[in-house]
Amino acid sequence: MSPPAGLVRSLVEGPSLVSALEWHDEVTSTNMLALDAARRGVPEVYAILADRQTVGRGRRGRTWEAPRGTSLLLSLVVRPTVRPVDLPLLPLLTGLALLEAVKPSCPGTEVGLKWPNDLLVADRKAAGILVEAPVQGAAVIGIGLNVDWRAAERPETLREGSISLAEALPPGLPAPDRWRILAALLGVFSNRYQEWQRRPVAFLEGYRQRCTTLGQQVRIQRAGTEPLEGKAVGVGEDGALEVRQDGSAVVRCAAGAVEHLRLA
Ligand code: BTN
């Protein structure tokens, strides 16, 4: 089912930064289409949405799967003007915008961020973000948000620990409307993105407050090295996670897969 025409018009013509929005019934991956669009030189913020992906891409070479019609599968082409050193903050900024857009649709349910940008709802992953940089001066932000899967629809292959917003809500509440969330997301993202270009680290305080990784015992898998375990104590101005190992100095992690360890 496509987004209502009125919604698309109001997004493109209204105050959000969206310059165009493409809808597809089925694609390989919205990120792959957006990477091509970025190389063609489309203006920011160019949005590509699909109802289903045949080869949805996740972080760290994983796939991203979602039953048809149940999710927001979205990629945004942006052309940030920040200094290169501030670019690693874009995934964190997007995570915060996503949380702020989703929160009103999740009354009575805990919503937080796992560093760097996983959206956790009721402590399980409801959304992931994959940022890719196809050409200098452009970035593609891919967002997959599980809106309304019911347990029966969940394919075997979906990763353990995932959840959809509808599954997380207290019983009796209707499933959130994915188009309402889309409108909220593009509005919040536009504001946050504009502010980020003027003051790149201003959002970090809000991010840290929402980042449930902070204060937890974590294990981080980093490419080509042993896993690191310790307490997550901070997020630096470069977006790196700061982890204190028992009795030793703080280690800064720019990238890695984080696991929250539950202490007995
Ligand atoms: C993750 O692994 O946590 C990131 C997942 C990102 C998935 C989204 S779905 C829309 C966009 N298109 C893709 O192929 N991937 C991203």
Side-chain angles (χ1 to χ4, degrees), residues 29-31 53 56-59 64 74-75 125 128-129 142-144:
S29 146
T30 56
N31 262 35
Q53 300 182 117
R57 287 148 65 129
R59 289 174 62 221
W64 184 263
L74 164 71
S75 297
K125 180 163 171 169
I129 295 169
I143 302 167

Side-chain angles (χ1 to χ4, degrees), residues 28-32 48 53 55-60 62-64 72-75 117-118 125 127-132 141-145 159:
T28 48
S29 146
T30 56
N31 262 35
M32 273 153 72
I48 301 182
Q53 300 182 117
V55 279
R57 287 148 65 129
R59 289 174 62 221
R60 306 171 71 77
R62 298 200 189 109
T63 55
W64 184 263
L72 266 185
L73 304 170
L74 164 71
S75 297
N117 56 17
D118 283 351
K125 180 163 171 169
I129 295 169
L130 172 65
V131 176
E132 303 186 82
I141 306 170
I143 302 167
L145 170 67
R159 273 179 255 159

Side-chain angles (χ1 to χ4, degrees), residues 4-264:
L7 172 71
V8 175
R9 211 174 315 114
S10 69
L11 286 172
V12 174
E13 292 169 7
S16 89
L17 293 181
V18 175
S19 61
L21 191 151
E22 274 183 28
W23 164 259
H24 299 267
D25 192 46
E26 183 170 303
V27 294
T28 48
S29 146
T30 56
N31 262 35
M32 273 153 72
L33 268 66
L35 291 167
D36 283 346
R39 290 187 198 103
R40 283 200 312 274
V42 295
E44 70 171 7
V45 169
Y46 193 92
I48 301 182
L49 270 132
D51 217 19
R52 180 164 183 270
Q53 300 182 117
T54 52
V55 279
R57 287 148 65 129
R59 289 174 62 221
R60 306 171 71 77
R62 298 200 189 109
T63 55
W64 184 263
E65 297 188 46
R68 177 187 290 283
T70 63
S71 306
L72 266 185
L73 304 170
L74 164 71
S75 297
L76 304 174
V77 179
V78 293
R79 300 191 179 277
T81 54
V82 295
R83 298 172 308 162
V85 65
D86 293 318
L87 283 173
L89 294 174
L90 184 56
L92 281 67
L93 173 94
T94 307
L96 181 61
L98 182 60
L99 179 144
E100 291 170 341
V102 162
K103 202 163 179 5
S105 300
C106 298
T109 310
E110 233 175 274
V111 181
L113 291 168
K114 185 170 85 161
W115 183 88
N117 56 17
D118 283 351
L119 181 75
L120 299 187
V121 178
D123 223 18
R124 287 160 73 185
K125 180 163 171 169
I129 295 169
L130 172 65
V131 176
E132 303 186 82
V135 282
Q136 215 183 349
V140 164
I141 306 170
I143 302 167
L145 170 67
N146 311 330
V147 180
D148 186 12
W149 307 346
R150 303 297 155 100
E153 289 171 348
R154 185 189 295 268
E156 291 284 312
T157 47
L158 284 173
R159 273 179 255 159
E160 257 180 48
S162 298
I163 197 168
S164 72
L165 302 184
E167 288 170 321
L169 289 181
L173 289 184
D177 179 323
R178 62 180 169 151
W179 305 134
R180 184 173 294 186
I181 294 176
L182 172 70
L185 172 59
L186 294 176
V188 177
F189 175 80
S190 295
N191 293 337
R192 285 276 179 199
Y193 179 75
Q194 278 173 309
E195 184 204 33
W196 176 61
Q197 307 229 68
R198 289 193 306 269
R199 300 167 58 214
V201 297
F203 79 94
L204 273 174
E205 210 32 61
Y207 174 89
R208 292 181 186 116
Q209 283 168 17
R210 297 295 191 188
C211 180
T212 59
T213 303
L214 289 179
Q216 297 224 34
Q217 195 67 16
V218 294
R219 180 182 298 123
I220 308 184
Q221 306 279 353
R222 296 173 297 168
T225 163
E226 288 294 300
L228 169 74
E229 273 191 35
K231 185 174 178 184
V233 292
V235 174
E237 294 211 336
D238 55 357
L241 186 65
E242 297 161 350
V243 179
R244 184 183 301 281
Q245 289 179 295
D246 284 347
S248 65
V250 169
V251 180
R252 313 189 77 252
C253 298
V258 172
E259 193 186 336
H260 291 172
L261 301 174
R262 306 281 168 230
L263 298 178

